[in-house]
Amino acid sequence: MTRSHLKSALLANLMFAGSLGLLTGCNETEAKQGTTSSSSNNYVAPSSKLTSGTTIDVALGSQLSSETAQVGDTWHGKVTDDVVSGDKVVIPSGSSVTGTVTGARGAKRGERAMLDLAIKSISVHGNNESVSASTEEVVAGSTRARNLGAIAGSAAAGAIIGKAVGDGKNGAVGGIIGGATAAGVVAASKGYQVVLKDGAVMSFTVNQTVSMR
C-alpha cells in the first residue's frame, strides 16, 4: 500500500469514528431528555400535614333537625376560612365538606333533643381527602344551641320560660334567663327540636393527623 493510500485509509477511519461519536452523543442527549420528560410527567407535589387538633370552620349546606335526622345521614358544607399549617394553606376556604350525623335524638318529655355531627372528607384541589373531625354535640336548651340559633320556635320557648318563672305577661323575660332554667324547661316540655339552619357555621376539631395531597 502506497503512502497516499495509507493516508486515505486513516482519514476514512477517523471520519467513521467521528460519526459514531456524534451519533452516540445524540442518543445520550435524547435519552436524558426522555428521562427528564418522564420525570416531569410523573411529578407529584409534596404533601402537607393536617395536624390533629386543628380547627376547621364549616358552613352547613342545608338545614338539619333532630326531629328528622338519623345516625349515618350525610350532610354537606363549605370551609369558611383557610386552614393553615405552618406557612401553608392546607385547606382553602370554599373547599367542599362531606360529613355524617353521628348522634340524633328527637325532643320528648323528660329528655332534651340533640344533634351530633362529624366530618368524613374534604375536597382539596380536586382531591377527595379523608378527614376525621368532630365537634361538641348540640343539645336543646344549652348555651351552644342558643348561640347557634339552633332551637326552633325560640320566641315560643321564651314565652314558656317566662311563664315558668312566674311572669306570664312578659314572655321576653325568658330570653334572658340563665342556661340552667332554660334547659330545665326544655326538658320538661315536648317539641323543642335542635334545628341547625342552612349556613350555620360550626367548628370541628381534627381527630388525627393526615397527609394532604
Side-chain angles (χ1 to χ4, degrees), residues 193-204:
Q193 305 292 344
V194 172
V195 179
L196 299 172
K197 298 178 181 178
D198 181 2
V201 178
M202 300 185 66
S203 295
F204 294 83

Side-chain angles (χ1 to χ4, degrees), residues 101-113:
V101 176
T102 54
R105 182 174 62 238
K108 60 182 179 180
R109 191 175 299 279
E111 192 170 19
R112 290 186 284 166

Side-chain angles (χ1 to χ4, degrees), residues 105-128:
R105 182 174 62 238
K108 60 182 179 180
R109 191 175 299 279
E111 192 170 19
R112 290 186 284 166
M114 175 273 290
L115 269 179
D116 197 8
L117 310 179
I119 291 175
K120 289 175 58 179
S121 64
I122 302 176
S123 180
V124 180
H125 302 307
N127 296 316
N128 198 39

Side-chain angles (χ1 to χ4, degrees), residues 166-184:
D167 185 1
K169 294 181 180 181
N170 186 7
V173 173
I176 58 174
I177 295 300
T181 302

Side-chain angles (χ1 to χ4, degrees), residues 10 18 51 62 67 97 159 198:
L10 288 173
T51 57
S62 60
E67 186 175 17
V97 176
D198 181 2

Side-chain angles (χ1 to χ4, degrees), residues 130-156:
S130 293
V131 174
S132 173
S134 57
T135 187
E136 180 187 351
E137 63 182 18
V138 183
V139 180
S142 66
T143 301
R144 184 162 187 254
R146 293 196 301 280
N147 288 341
L148 288 169
I151 299 179
S154 57

